[in-house]
Amino acid sequence: NEKDADKNEIKYEVISKKDKLNLDNVNSGVEFENYLKYIFEELGYEVETTKASGDQGADLIITKGEVRTAVQAKFYSSTVGNKAVQEVVASMKFYNATNAMVVTNNYYTSGARELAKANGVSLWDKDMLESIVLTMG
């Protein structure tokens, strides 16, 4: 019976690029890591998640050419402090990374910004993420 076959058909939800790039659709740390993975892949990076190795201070390792960057993702409801910068700096040797970055859906404390500057760590805050996403839309 064709009608019964239609009822049993699995429907796949198609998620548009616009929805995938919408930070408002992110509701947890894991979703934020997946969101960043998608963004970095769209920017041409190879992306590895670190869950298998136990997350030694980085959530993603992004690679473009010879440059490996350890990325700490912080999905926070408040500003991100210098602990996140310390963690990602500590992760660099473990992951054989040349660069380090912390990315948040929020903003950074002045202490985090100072420590990042002193250690050459890139900080992407909510504004930076939104401006990058605008170029992709």
Side-chain angles (χ1 to χ4, degrees):
N1 183 326
E2 271 187 54
K3 281 187 177 176
D4 288 343
D6 287 343
K7 283 182 191 171
N8 293 331
E9 192 177 306
I10 297 170
K11 296 209 172 41
Y12 292 97
E13 186 179 342
V14 179
I15 301 170
S16 72
K17 183 175 179 177
K18 186 178 177 190
D19 286 341
K20 285 183 183 177
L21 291 172
N22 188 344
L23 187 55
D24 292 336
N25 292 336
V26 176
N27 298 303
S28 71
V30 172
E31 287 180 12
F32 189 57
E33 287 175 32
N34 290 333
Y35 172 81
L36 294 179
K37 183 177 188 293
Y38 179 74
I39 286 175
F40 286 121
E41 286 171 345
E42 287 289 308
L43 292 171
Y45 288 88
E46 282 182 44
V47 182
E48 306 164 49
T49 58
T50 63
K51 292 301 171 216
S53 59
D55 182 357
Q56 294 288 335
D59 298 301
L60 304 171
I61 304 300
I62 60 173
T63 307
K64 194 184 274 189
E66 299 297 311
V67 181
R68 277 175 64 86
T69 304
V71 179
Q72 176 73 277
K74 292 295 185 187
F75 187 75
Y76 276 18
S77 57
S78 58
T79 53
V80 177
N82 61 1
K83 184 172 185 273
V85 177
Q86 293 167 350
E87 289 170 353
V88 80
V89 167
S91 79
M92 288 175 66
K93 279 199 169 99
F94 185 84
Y95 292 110
N96 196 26
T98 48
N99 294 352
M101 171 187 288
V102 182
V103 186
T104 186
N105 63 311
N106 210 300
Y107 299 99
Y108 296 95
T109 63
S110 58
R113 289 193 303 272
E114 287 171 15
L115 189 62
K117 186 176 181 183
N119 284 280
V121 175
S122 299
L123 297 180
W124 285 13
D125 62 14
K126 180 181 177 143
D127 296 340
M128 174 69 100
L129 262 181
E130 288 175 352
S131 67
I132 287 167
V133 165
L134 277 175
T135 67
M136 303 170 112

